[in-house]
Amino acid sequence: MKKTTLGILLIALPMLFINCSKDESTTVTPPQTALTPDPRLPNQEVFKPAIQLVPKSLTGKVTGKSTATKQRIVKELIFRVTKDQLGNEVQNELKENRYLYDSKGRLYSIDRYIKDKFIGIISKYEFDAADKVTKAFHGNNPVEINSGGYITKTTGNDGGIMDIYYDEIGRLAKEVETGTYEQEIEHQGPDGNFTYETVTNPKTATYLYSYVDNKVFVNILLTEKNYSTAKETPNGIEYVVKDKITEITYELTIDYAKAGIYSSEPIFRCYIYNWMHILDWKVKAVSEGVTEYELRYDYEYVYDSNGYLKESKQTTTRASQPDRPLVMKTLYTYE
């Protein structure tokens, strides 16, 4: 018998959802300069992003009515929704993300709190005198950015590396992840007692993006080297060791005209699921012809009269447990 822990993220994958065609553009070097608006990119004029690294009034890009309604987010309250015996909504597993700004109004830190206790930094940024991002961090791990402000490499807490590529108009095209995964192998000795062995091996994952109209498709090829699979034999449990290849597919339906909470400026391109208005997201993983998991996320949004997102709900349904959905809500506070 064995227990397996994989380093693949299903819900949070903080990178994903702008797309590319599956051609040579998947290896294009990320843009080095600001891009001219392109009709293939989202139009977020009506529904406004609330998180911008630098207030647009500093750059002279905000004028007229949009200036009067400009807000910035200061807190997200995130919780799981369940129902009590009377059918009332109950909030569980509460956590907060707090957004901190410097004296010039630039976002310099996003911090995580649970029950008013500081847990850690999610992201942080440093700027030069011209309001350009010079350094970015995920937690305490530095993020590599190019001269155009595009994130080109991230490092996870487990040491895994993600190299990121964009197409000619700045959309995510390809990501290549290298790292390790762990398996806990359970052995039963002649005396009937069990011992456990933790094995660490390399893994790689390649993400390719494509899009058609309001659909985004992501194809992921995950390879886990020297994967151990349990096999029953006359002598008991034995393990077959070989590379495991899993194909994971995403299909997202989006509304390009509406923003989430993040700005679409380059530094946030790796968090597209937060700044895009996703209507639904289907996920399926297949290994050696066998479906390992299949699930679907459905989203609901509430915007205020000025076009800012004030509430979102994500419902996760697994194909294996359709009657047990997981519901998460986020409430947004602005100033």
Side-chain angles (χ1 to χ4, degrees):
M1 297 176 65
K2 62 181 173 59
K3 299 177 182 178
T4 306
T5 302
L6 302 180
I8 192 76
L9 302 179
L10 297 180
I11 298 178
L13 276 175
M15 46 226 147
L16 290 185
F17 314 123
I18 285 290
N19 17 55
C20 72
S21 57
K22 293 182 186 175
D23 52 23
E24 295 180 357
S25 67
T26 59
T27 57
V28 167
T29 300
Q32 298 296 312
T33 59
L35 297 172
T36 301
D38 188 283
R40 291 169 291 178
L41 294 174
N43 176 0
Q44 299 181 335
E45 293 298 322
V46 178
F47 289 83
K48 303 176 179 64
I51 304 174
Q52 297 171 329
L53 284 173
V54 178
K56 298 309 176 186
S57 56
L58 292 183
T59 62
K61 295 181 180 179
V62 174
T63 59
K65 183 178 179 181
S66 61
T67 302
T69 59
K70 181 173 175 53
Q71 302 180 73
R72 65 183 184 185
I73 192 167
V74 292
K75 184 175 71 174
E76 295 171 311
L77 178 63
I78 307 163
F79 53 90
R80 180 178 178 180
V81 177
T82 59
K83 297 290 184 67
D84 62 18
Q85 294 180 342
L86 298 177
N88 299 312
E89 184 177 289
V90 179
Q91 299 178 0
N92 300 282
E93 304 170 19
L94 275 74
K95 55 190 175 184
E96 290 184 11
N97 295 336
R98 299 181 185 179
Y99 295 78
L100 305 178
Y101 303 86
D102 63 19
S103 59
K104 296 181 67 175
R106 302 175 301 189
L107 175 64
Y108 71 85
S109 186
I110 307 172
D111 298 346
R112 169 64 54 82
Y113 283 79
I114 297 179
K115 295 181 179 179
D116 278 330
K117 180 180 179 181
F118 175 73
I119 301 301
I121 295 173
I122 297 174
S123 298
K124 58 183 178 180
Y125 309 93
E126 296 180 8
F127 305 86
D128 61 16
D131 301 323
K132 181 179 179 181
V133 176
T134 56
K135 293 182 181 179
F137 299 83
H138 290 171
N140 293 319
N141 300 314
V143 173
E144 293 188 16
I145 54 177
N146 64 16
S147 60
Y150 286 76
I151 296 175
T152 58
K153 179 178 288 189
T154 64
T155 303
N157 291 329
D158 60 357
I161 301 295
M162 180 74 80
D163 290 297
I164 303 165
Y165 305 87
Y166 302 84
D167 68 8
E168 75 283 358
I169 64 169
R171 300 173 300 186
L172 271 176
K174 178 180 179 180
E175 295 168 322
V176 179
E177 179 186 13
T178 56
T180 59
Y181 73 98
E182 289 185 350
Q183 281 189 284
E184 189 175 81
I185 310 297
E186 184 180 75
H187 301 282
Q188 186 174 15
D191 58 0
N193 293 325
F194 290 93
T195 59
Y196 299 89
E197 176 189 12
T198 299
V199 178
T200 302
N201 285 306
K203 73 168 182 179
T204 61
T206 300
Y207 302 70
L208 295 177
Y209 298 80
S210 61
Y211 71 98
V212 178
D213 298 325
N214 69 331
K215 293 284 189 180
V216 179
F217 300 94
V218 188
N219 292 308
I220 306 166
L221 190 66
L222 170 66
T223 301
E224 296 165 291
K225 303 291 288 185
N226 304 319
Y227 188 90
S228 296
T229 302
K231 182 180 180 180
E232 291 276 1
T233 72
N235 298 322
I237 297 293
E238 294 182 359
Y239 289 93
V240 177
V241 180
K242 66 175 184 178
D243 295 351
K244 179 183 179 182
I245 298 176
T246 305
E247 295 183 38
I248 305 168
T249 57
Y250 298 155
E251 178 186 329
L252 299 103
T253 306
I254 59 178
D255 185 342
Y256 279 113
K258 297 180 181 179
I261 54 169
Y262 281 112
S263 165
S264 58
E265 59 192 287
I267 197 71
F268 289 129
R269 297 266 178 190
C270 286
Y271 303 93
I272 293 169
Y273 74 101
N274 267 338
W275 65 264
M276 291 304 300
H277 185 106
I278 302 174
L279 303 177
D280 61 67
W281 173 16
K282 301 173 185 176
V283 180
K284 186 175 183 178
V286 177
S287 180
E288 296 187 348
V290 178
T291 298
E292 294 201 339
Y293 54 83
E294 187 172 1
L295 60 154
R296 174 185 173 118
Y297 306 108
D298 289 285
Y299 298 81
E300 297 177 34
Y301 305 91
V302 178
Y303 288 83
D304 65 19
S305 59
N306 290 323
Y308 289 95
L309 182 62
K310 68 177 187 178
E311 179 180 319
S312 64
K313 181 171 77 171
Q314 179 195 67
T315 301
T316 304
T317 307
R318 288 186 174 272
S320 59
Q321 298 176 317
D323 58 338
R324 298 178 60 185
L326 170 66
V327 179
M328 300 294 296
K329 273 191 177 182
T330 303
L331 306 180
Y332 306 90
T333 302
Y334 302 92
E335 64 174 18

